[in-house]
Amino acid sequence: MTTNLETSDGRLRWGILGTGLIAGLQTQDLLENGFIVQAVGSRTMDASQRFSQKFGIPTAHESYAQLVADPSVDIIYVATPHPFHHEHALLALNAGKHVLVEKPFTMNAREAREVIDLAQQRGLVALEAMWTRFLPHMVRIRQIVADGMLGQLRKVVASHNQSLPTDPRHRLNALELGGGALLDLGIYPVSFAVDLLGTPSSIQASGAMTVTGVDRQTAMIFQYPTGEQAMLDCELDASGANRAVIIGTEGWIDIESVWYTPTSFTVYDRMDNVLERFEQPVIGRGMQFQAAELEQLIQTGRAQSDLLPSDQSIAIMELLDEIRRQIGLHYAADRI
């Protein structure tokens, strides 16, 4: 595994590929938590310069190709629209850069495998930016489950419902830009279920579509070989409580709104007595934890994260592919 590591103290330097809302949120969390953001790249110099000036980033590049070729950058954060994740991750990896790739990791499992395969061939790290996985409350929840406090897990219930822009031209509603509730919102509960229960043996999915051909809402039931279930849903145009529940034979966890962001939770025994109350303030939005995970992987010479292994990112894309097949949601990338 290789990286430039040219700073005097061996610290890694980030390049931001894309200048949209999510890129700004990640950049803010990086800066507030002491990471080095060295450069940004966009499709135009104007957009790149505006972003660099807003966040005080030293270098602005007028193209993605220039950004990934910058020798003063070690890691590329890919924050372009969904259909471009695959292309831009490959671009960065071929330039010798580690990558943190926004979710969905790619448009489908085929593209995910190509990104992971290239990272492995080049001795680089490619990590999916599913920031929820790395948040403090999720770290503690996994410890509670592993310690057997809940007994045998039986059910995971999670929702991600938001009231988002309904303009047909908006990215979220545009089929050509990978729009729809599933890839933007549903991926959170899907990844959550896989994190706690593993890959299901069967899926039942139902969706309702918009006039632009993307899913407005999708509901899913995951079934597991020994009887566990996950009940998951997402929606683009109606907000909800956005809580999650983990149910076991000896107790249960109520994760408060908004469950996929830094939040608190309560652990109950089977008689509904409180066993634990978790609260831990987080600086910023909480996206710095996934960045810290990636830096640690690079510095310790590990190829993938224990919290989100590469094969699990691929498995999640396979599940999303199957859900899309069942609800009739198809993208251009599927035809390649």
Side-chain angles (χ1 to χ4, degrees):
M1 196 174 298
T2 60
T3 187
N4 295 326
L5 290 174
E6 291 178 356
T7 54
S8 59
D9 58 359
R11 296 174 67 200
L12 294 157
R13 297 148 305 174
W14 289 76
I16 310 299
L17 195 154
T19 55
L21 172 64
I22 299 300
L25 293 173
Q26 178 69 76
T27 299
Q28 187 64 42
D29 275 356
L30 289 172
L31 294 172
E32 287 184 358
N33 288 276
F35 294 82
I36 299 175
V37 182
Q38 179 66 35
V40 60
S42 186
R43 292 174 296 176
T44 67
M45 179 57 83
D46 182 57
S48 188
Q49 287 179 334
R50 287 199 307 270
F51 194 92
S52 67
Q53 290 168 5
K54 178 179 180 179
F55 294 102
I57 299 172
T59 308
H61 292 289
E62 63 182 356
S63 71
Y64 302 138
Q66 283 189 5
L67 172 66
V68 302
D70 188 336
S72 66
V73 170
D74 304 295
I75 306 168
I76 298 293
Y77 170 58
V78 177
T80 44
H82 304 344
F84 304 105
H85 290 180
H86 170 257
E87 173 189 348
H88 293 150
L90 295 182
L91 182 72
L93 290 167
N94 278 317
K97 312 299 186 186
H98 306 279
V99 291
L100 178 65
V101 185
E102 256 308 324
K103 63 207 166 311
F105 191 60
T106 52
M107 290 300 292
N108 54 40
R110 174 188 58 79
E111 290 186 344
R113 292 188 195 95
E114 291 178 2
V115 171
I116 296 302
D117 286 349
L118 180 59
Q120 292 174 346
Q121 291 167 15
R122 299 299 302 271
L124 298 164
V125 179
L127 181 65
E128 178 187 353
M130 175 47 74
W131 62 301
T132 304
R133 287 287 183 106
F134 308 99
L135 294 175
H137 74 283
M138 285 304 305
V139 173
R140 178 57 187 147
I141 284 170
R142 280 189 291 267
Q143 292 172 343
I144 289 169
V145 171
D147 290 344
M149 191 181 299
L150 304 184
Q152 296 180 354
L153 291 191
R154 290 291 173 82
K155 187 180 298 181
V156 169
V157 182
S159 296
H160 190 172
N161 301 312
Q162 293 193 46
S163 183
L164 298 171
T166 57
D167 183 346
R169 296 166 297 180
H170 192 282
R171 174 189 68 80
L172 290 165
N173 304 305
L175 187 65
E176 67 275 14
L177 292 178
L182 182 64
L183 294 194
D184 258 272
L185 309 181
I187 189 171
Y188 283 88
V190 168
S191 183
F192 181 60
V194 172
D195 188 10
L196 294 172
L197 297 175
T199 305
S201 55
S202 65
I203 301 171
Q204 291 178 298
S206 175
M209 314 304 283
T210 69
V211 294
T212 60
V214 303
D215 65 313
R216 173 175 58 79
Q217 64 183 49
T218 296
M220 300 149 277
I221 298 176
F222 288 3
Q223 191 75 39
Y224 291 83
T226 52
E228 299 90 344
Q229 292 179 322
M231 302 170 66
L232 318 170
D233 68 271
C234 57
E235 180 154 358
L236 279 177
D237 61 354
S239 59
N242 290 330
R243 298 173 79 101
V245 179
I246 307 165
I247 300 172
T249 55
E250 299 300 322
W252 60 287
I253 299 176
D254 177 25
I255 312 176
E256 297 170 10
S257 183
V258 173
W259 71 265
Y260 49 84
T261 70
T263 191
S264 53
F265 66 81
T266 305
V267 185
Y268 299 89
D269 67 15
R270 60 191 301 174
M271 302 302 293
D272 294 339
N273 299 305
V274 174
L275 299 178
E276 179 176 328
R277 173 72 180 166
F278 179 92
E279 294 178 339
Q280 181 173 325
V282 167
I283 297 174
R285 191 168 187 255
M287 298 175 77
Q288 66 270 22
F289 295 101
Q290 61 186 0
E293 177 75 4
L294 179 52
E295 288 203 359
Q296 186 178 51
L297 292 174
I298 296 168
Q299 290 165 340
T300 57
R302 291 182 293 145
Q304 57 183 310
S305 170
D306 292 336
L307 298 182
L308 184 50
S310 299
D311 59 354
Q312 201 169 97
S313 289
I314 294 171
I316 289 167
M317 292 311 307
E318 290 174 339
L319 295 176
L320 296 174
D321 288 352
E322 173 58 19
I323 294 165
R324 290 197 297 110
R325 185 193 68 79
Q326 291 189 25
I327 66 174
L329 176 59
H330 307 290
Y331 297 115
D334 300 329
R335 298 192 292 269
I336 299 173

